[in-house]
């Protein structure tokens, strides 16, 4: 029987937001994890030139693969053969390839709860079994080596994300090393989602490759590089495994968009412009951290990286979807309900993305303050 996949409820929120905007309402989009900025200017200029001079076609850029490999050497001190890199149509196909090429139907794969909705749904779509591990404030909402050591039997794999969606939390270096150690001991294959690398407010973030060279790493140009609509990412696989993953890429997705590959190569050296975006996110993050406690949102995950606030609203609602819809209808501020990221506890959480302009964050707070002041806490049960 074909598995049922959970809905991505933030999409329904976004549809309502666009409907309100079409009706003339002012809407601030804080429901999706996507930069409000576009691709770097030099990357766009390169794309214009390529459109005028290149017929385009199925292609995998050797230059871009080599540049990504150099990135791991420069940033993480890890030598990567360019042939370990498969260019993909964003991080989502990279995740599909990593899971489909690594596991057999029925295999159990561990992941943190809360976590990105597509982890759970992609596992289910591939007839794999998600083993969700409840991770709360005592764990900084992150998987730990102790979690993995306690699973009986050991899962075939684990998905690790640092920084994580929806919480923004980063796994400490010693915990990353401990996770790698327990996975080697228990023969657990690691899939590391590093899509939010480059977006950190607590210093450099380590790649799982620094601790476990056999990990499969998923990454993308959508977040730090601000190229969401270009649909470009990569899977980094061990050399002995890459032929399996490449077979899935060729048959299911052919190649990444050629135009995006040309632009992505240029984007990788646009750090001054891109780091400027990170500074905007840093200001936005601080504005929210300063303002949210006065709104009654004092219980939040530590937003070490990415561009999210994961906030406990359990004192105000036991239905985060209805709460976010009402918030949007009343204020024009779109946010994501926690049920997307945690099917058990998500009814009492919401996610706020601050990947918008600082002016939009300031306006959102002006609207949110009176709205939250008017909310009455739930009666104790």
């Amino acid at each position: 029987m074909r598995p049922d996949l959970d809905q991505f409820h933030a999409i329904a929120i976004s549809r309502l937001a666009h409907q309100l905007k079409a009706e003339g309402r002012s809407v601030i989009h804080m429901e999706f994890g996507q930069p409000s900025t576009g691709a770097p200017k030099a990357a766009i200029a390169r794309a214009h030139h390529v459109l005028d001079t290149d017929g385009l076609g199925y292609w995998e850029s050797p230059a871009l693969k080599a540049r990504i490999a150099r990135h791991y050497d420069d940033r993480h001190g890890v030598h990567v053969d360019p042939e370990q890199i498969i260019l993909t149509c964003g991080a989502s196909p990279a995740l599909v390839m990593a899971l489909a090429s690594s596991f057999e139907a029925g295999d159990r794969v561990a992941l943190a709860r809360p976590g990105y909705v597509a982890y759970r749904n992609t596992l289910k779509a591939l007839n794999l079994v998600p083993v969700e591990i409840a991770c709360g404030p005592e764990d900084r909402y992150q998987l730990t080596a102790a979690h993995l050591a306690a699973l009986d039997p050991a899962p075939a794999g684990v998905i690790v994300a640092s920084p994580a969606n929806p919480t923004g939390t980063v796994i400490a270096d010693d915990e990353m090393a401990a996770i790698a150690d327990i996975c080697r001991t228990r023969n657990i294959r690691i899939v590391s989602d590093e899509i939010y690398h480059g977006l950190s407010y607590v210093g450099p973030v380590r790649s799982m490759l620094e601790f476990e060279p056999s990990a499969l790493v998923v990454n993308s140009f959508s977040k730090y590089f601000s190229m969401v609509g270009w649909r470009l990412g990569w899977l980094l696989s061990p050399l002995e495994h890459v032929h399996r993953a490449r077979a899935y890429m060729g048959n299911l997705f052919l190649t990444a968009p050629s135009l995006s590959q040309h632009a992505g190569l240029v984007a990788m050296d646009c750090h001054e412009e891109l780091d400027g975006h990170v500074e905007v996110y840093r200001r936005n993050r601080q504005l929210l951290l300063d303002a949210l406690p006065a709104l009654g949102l004092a219980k939040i995950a530590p937003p070490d990286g990415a561009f999210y606030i994961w906030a406990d609203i359990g004192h105000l609602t036991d239905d985060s979807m209805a709460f976010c819809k009402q918030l949007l209808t009343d204020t024009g501020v779109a946010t994501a309900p926690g049920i997307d990221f945690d099917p058990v506890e998500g009814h009492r959480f919401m996610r706020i993305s601050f990947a918008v302009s600082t002016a939009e964050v300031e306006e959102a707070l002006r609207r949110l303050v009176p709205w939250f002041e008017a909310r009455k806490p739930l009666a104790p049960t």
Side-chain angles (χ1 to χ4, degrees):
M1 180 180 294
R2 183 175 299 168
D4 290 329
L5 303 188
D6 303 316
Q7 296 295 319
F8 200 162
H9 295 89
I11 294 176
I13 293 289
S14 189
R15 283 200 299 266
L16 176 58
H18 284 286
Q19 176 186 327
L20 293 175
K21 189 172 183 178
E23 294 170 0
R25 292 280 303 278
S26 169
V27 171
I28 301 174
H29 288 282
M30 304 175 80
E31 75 274 31
F32 283 149
Q34 63 177 16
S36 58
T37 51
K41 294 180 179 62
I44 294 174
R46 176 61 180 162
H48 279 295
H49 175 75
V50 169
L51 282 172
D52 290 336
T53 60
D54 191 328
L56 304 176
Y58 300 134
W59 178 60
E60 188 179 48
S61 168
L64 180 54
K65 291 167 59 176
R67 180 65 185 84
I68 292 171
R70 181 159 62 87
H71 163 81
Y72 284 96
D73 199 352
D74 294 344
R75 184 68 58 89
H76 300 290
V78 175
H79 174 72
V80 170
D81 187 321
E83 287 309 303
Q84 292 179 249
I85 295 163
I86 305 172
L87 301 176
T88 63
C89 312
S92 297
L95 179 66
V96 170
M97 287 194 302
L99 297 175
S101 65
S102 299
F103 306 111
E104 303 293 337
D107 278 352
R108 300 162 65 251
V109 178
L111 63 159
R113 176 174 61 76
Y116 179 44
V117 59
Y119 298 155
R120 181 173 68 251
N121 281 330
T122 303
L123 288 167
K124 290 164 66 175
L126 294 172
N127 290 306
L128 302 171
V129 180
V131 180
E132 294 190 286
I133 299 173
C135 300
E138 67 281 1
D139 308 310
R140 302 183 77 257
Y141 296 93
Q142 275 285 8
L143 280 177
T144 66
H147 286 137
L148 295 173
L151 290 178
D152 186 18
V158 62
I159 299 174
V160 174
S162 177
N165 177 10
T167 61
T169 53
V170 167
I171 301 175
D173 294 354
D174 58 349
E175 192 62 50
M176 288 276 276
I179 289 171
D181 285 343
I182 196 66
C183 287
R184 278 191 295 271
T185 300
R186 306 197 75 194
N187 197 30
I188 302 170
R189 181 178 284 279
I190 300 172
V191 176
S192 182
D193 183 355
E194 302 183 359
I195 190 173
Y196 293 103
H197 276 209
L199 303 176
S200 170
Y201 316 105
V202 295
V205 175
R206 306 284 291 276
S207 172
M208 182 55 78
L209 291 176
E210 298 177 54
F211 305 94
E212 180 45 69
S214 70
L216 283 85
V217 173
V218 171
N219 211 324
S220 169
F221 283 80
S222 293
K223 309 301 182 180
Y224 172 75
F225 294 101
S226 195
M227 295 178 65
V228 176
W230 297 75
R231 308 316 304 135
L232 181 63
W234 69 87
L235 174 67
L236 197 158
S237 170
L239 275 173
E240 66 273 14
H241 181 85
V242 73
H243 71 285
R244 285 178 55 85
R246 192 172 294 283
Y248 279 89
M249 180 65 194
N251 283 284
L252 297 181
F253 308 108
L254 290 177
T255 65
S258 296
L259 183 65
S260 301
Q261 295 180 60
H262 285 288
L265 177 60
V266 174
M268 291 202 74
D269 292 305
C270 294
H271 292 294
E272 183 176 355
E273 182 177 348
L274 296 169
D275 288 345
H277 299 335
V278 178
E279 290 309 305
V280 172
Y281 305 148
R282 189 188 303 276
R283 289 196 295 273
N284 294 350
R285 169 183 177 271
Q286 195 59 52
L287 282 170
L288 289 168
L289 290 178
D290 291 343
L292 292 181
L295 305 185
L297 303 183
K299 297 179 181 179
I300 64 171
D304 303 324
F307 29 54
Y308 304 119
I309 299 287
W310 178 247
D312 188 335
I313 53 174
H315 60 297
L316 297 173
T317 186
D318 60 2
D319 185 344
S320 60
M321 184 66 178
F323 186 89
C324 290
K325 281 185 176 179
Q326 194 64 54
L327 174 63
L328 171 58
T329 301
D330 292 348
T331 70
V333 178
T335 57
I339 53 174
D340 272 337
F341 312 98
D342 186 339
V344 179
E345 298 290 338
H347 61 280
R348 52 190 293 269
F349 285 86
M350 67 187 299
R351 190 195 73 177
I352 305 169
S353 169
F354 50 85
V356 293
S357 70
T358 300
E360 286 175 303
V361 171
E362 292 170 337
E363 175 59 26
L365 287 171
R366 279 192 286 270
R367 301 179 191 185
L368 293 178
V369 168
W371 193 86
F372 273 91
E373 287 178 346
R375 298 302 98 191
K376 294 182 178 179
L378 292 177
T381 57

